[in-house]
Amino acid sequence: MGAALTIRQVRARPVLVPLRRSVRTAVGAIPAAPLVLIDVETEEGATGRSYLFGYNAPSLMGPLAKLVEEIGAELKGEAVAPAERTRQLDRRFRLIGWQGLVGMAVSGLDMAFWDVLGHAAGLPVVRLLGGTPTPVRAYDSYGVVDPRADEGELARSLEAGFRGIKIKLGDGDLARDVEAARAVRGIVGPDVALMVDYNQSLDVAEACRRVGRLRELDLAWVEEPVAAEDLLGHARVRAAVDVPVQTGENWWFPRDMQKALAAGACDLAMPDLGKIGGVTGWLGAMGQGEAASIPVSSHVYVEASAHVLPVTPTAHWLEHLDFAGGILEEPARVIDGTVTARGPGLGLAWDEAAVARHAL
């Protein structure tokens, strides 16, 4: 199926998509989502789409889009065969490494390749992976919250059926963290999973101190309490606190996951499709998750995550943080707190009028 398709052209466009709910973190706010939209056109007429999320760095979306197109130009005439292209690009960038923008570009292209295959076959990607489109349990992901101002919004999340809520902490002192987390626990009740995310804002000693104080709130996990690359630091926090440690959104390709698991850095894993190597990289990561009996959740990329989690043996949670809805003809739908994969491909179709309005 893939061998019959040949890459003709790759287009990449930077956009800045306004968010219905701004995301404020300990290291900066995200009032709008900087994205790079990727289109892979084939000689046979099928087109694949994906996007990349740029966190709080809209100034880098232009260079990232250019890099995607440059790599795509090198792949012109090659078959749409994701595993083969991953090996080819691994060799191409081995000497400089493929972290950062290079890793994101490779991951985004891989997702678009899988989308091409799905469109050509008339199937959702989850079926190409051997699964079926099934509802995946999702949690609603917030930034730093003001429990009084955001109480109505949190109530709407519960009304939508979400059985998990994540909030970000670390923008103030310990007392502020405890006050916010305790207030949110009071709003959502004891039966809803409550996760907290520090976005790498603490050192090891402070992480142990703060998380130790928060354990009484029955947290489902504490996410990235220290610098993502500090694997031993994560292991020390994990050993000191009685709260599951979640990390993985900053793993570059499955090799980084292997290093983290070997270091005992986490109880839970959260690969990011835009960094782990797209769908192909996710398959390698989920195999490690199964071998280590580590629950695996997704990080952003709601639409594509709904395709890979149903085939993930230790699937845990899908993060619902809708960055692309504003430029999609049909945004991801939440039904009773779940998201179900749509097709063909990854189910992405650009709203070109919205894309034009939000072009960078």
Side-chain angles (χ1 to χ4, degrees):
M1 179 170 53
L5 299 171
T6 306
I7 299 167
R8 182 173 73 85
Q9 182 182 2
V10 173
R11 287 196 308 152
R13 296 174 286 174
V15 295
L16 190 62
V17 184
L19 298 177
R20 184 183 69 82
R21 191 170 72 208
S22 178
V23 180
R24 188 159 62 92
T25 79
V27 293
I30 306 172
L35 307 177
V36 169
L37 311 185
I38 301 173
D39 293 85
V40 173
E41 301 171 5
T42 65
E43 297 289 356
E44 295 73 23
T47 297
R49 300 174 184 86
S50 68
Y51 65 85
L52 291 167
F53 166 58
Y55 292 81
N56 57 350
S59 61
L60 293 180
M61 293 303 95
L64 178 58
K66 180 66 173 175
L67 179 61
V68 170
E69 291 191 341
E70 292 289 343
I71 295 173
E74 293 187 15
L75 299 178
K76 182 177 180 179
E78 299 281 7
V80 180
E84 291 180 11
R85 299 290 70 79
T86 292
R87 288 192 291 269
Q88 177 184 359
L89 293 172
D90 187 13
R91 292 191 299 271
R92 174 72 173 82
F93 295 111
R94 181 170 293 277
L95 294 183
I96 64 168
W98 50 351
Q99 299 84 3
L101 297 188
V102 171
M104 293 179 71
V106 170
S107 298
L109 285 166
D110 180 87
M111 285 188 274
F113 295 154
W114 279 97
D115 190 57
V116 170
L117 296 181
H119 278 275
L123 295 171
V125 166
V126 64
R127 289 200 181 276
L128 300 184
L129 298 175
T132 57
T134 55
V136 179
R137 179 180 67 165
Y139 68 84
D140 209 4
S141 192
Y142 283 74
V144 174
V145 299
D146 178 334
R148 287 176 290 277
D150 294 324
E151 184 173 2
E153 191 72 29
L154 289 162
R156 282 187 285 275
S157 295
L158 300 182
E159 290 168 4
F162 287 107
R163 305 305 298 165
I165 299 290
K166 185 170 82 177
I167 62 171
K168 297 186 184 295
L169 300 177
D171 66 323
D173 59 15
L174 171 59
R176 183 183 177 115
D177 286 354
V178 172
E179 179 185 8
R182 183 175 289 146
V184 172
R185 170 55 81 196
I187 292 168
V188 303
D191 298 326
V192 172
L194 177 60
M195 304 85 161
V196 300
D197 183 359
Y198 272 102
N199 285 116
Q200 312 179 57
S201 60
L202 306 175
D203 60 32
V204 172
E206 184 64 10
C208 294
R209 187 172 80 97
R210 294 199 188 194
V211 179
R213 283 285 303 278
L214 293 169
R215 65 181 299 276
E216 67 186 55
L217 299 175
D218 188 28
L219 299 179
W221 71 60
V222 57
E223 188 173 329
E224 285 195 332
V226 300
E229 68 274 15
D230 186 0
L231 302 182
L232 294 180
H234 271 92
R236 287 172 58 194
V237 174
R238 183 184 173 211
V241 302
D242 189 22
V243 176
V245 171
Q246 172 76 278
T247 187
E249 70 180 75
N250 288 296
W251 291 337
W252 293 103
F253 299 88
R255 295 187 188 97
D256 265 7
M257 182 174 182
Q258 186 277 326
K259 295 173 186 176
L261 295 182
C266 58
D267 300 282
L268 310 167
M270 180 183 281
D272 178 293
L273 279 159
K275 296 179 180 179
I276 202 67
V279 175
T280 302
W282 181 282
L283 297 178
M286 79 180 195
Q288 294 185 58
E290 180 183 24
S293 298
I294 294 284
V296 174
S297 299
S298 66
H299 179 254
V300 301
Y301 298 102
V302 177
E303 304 81 8
S305 296
H307 289 263
V308 297
L309 280 168
V311 299
T312 301
T314 57
H316 196 199
W317 288 92
L318 180 148
E319 180 176 32
H320 181 262
L321 195 50
D322 185 12
F323 288 133
I327 47 85
L328 293 177
E329 288 185 357
E330 189 176 354
R333 295 177 60 201
V334 176
I335 300 176
D336 194 24
T338 67
V339 178
T340 303
R342 292 199 306 257
L346 295 174
L348 300 173
W350 310 135
D351 177 342
E352 290 294 348
V355 171
R357 286 196 306 273
H358 302 311
L360 271 172

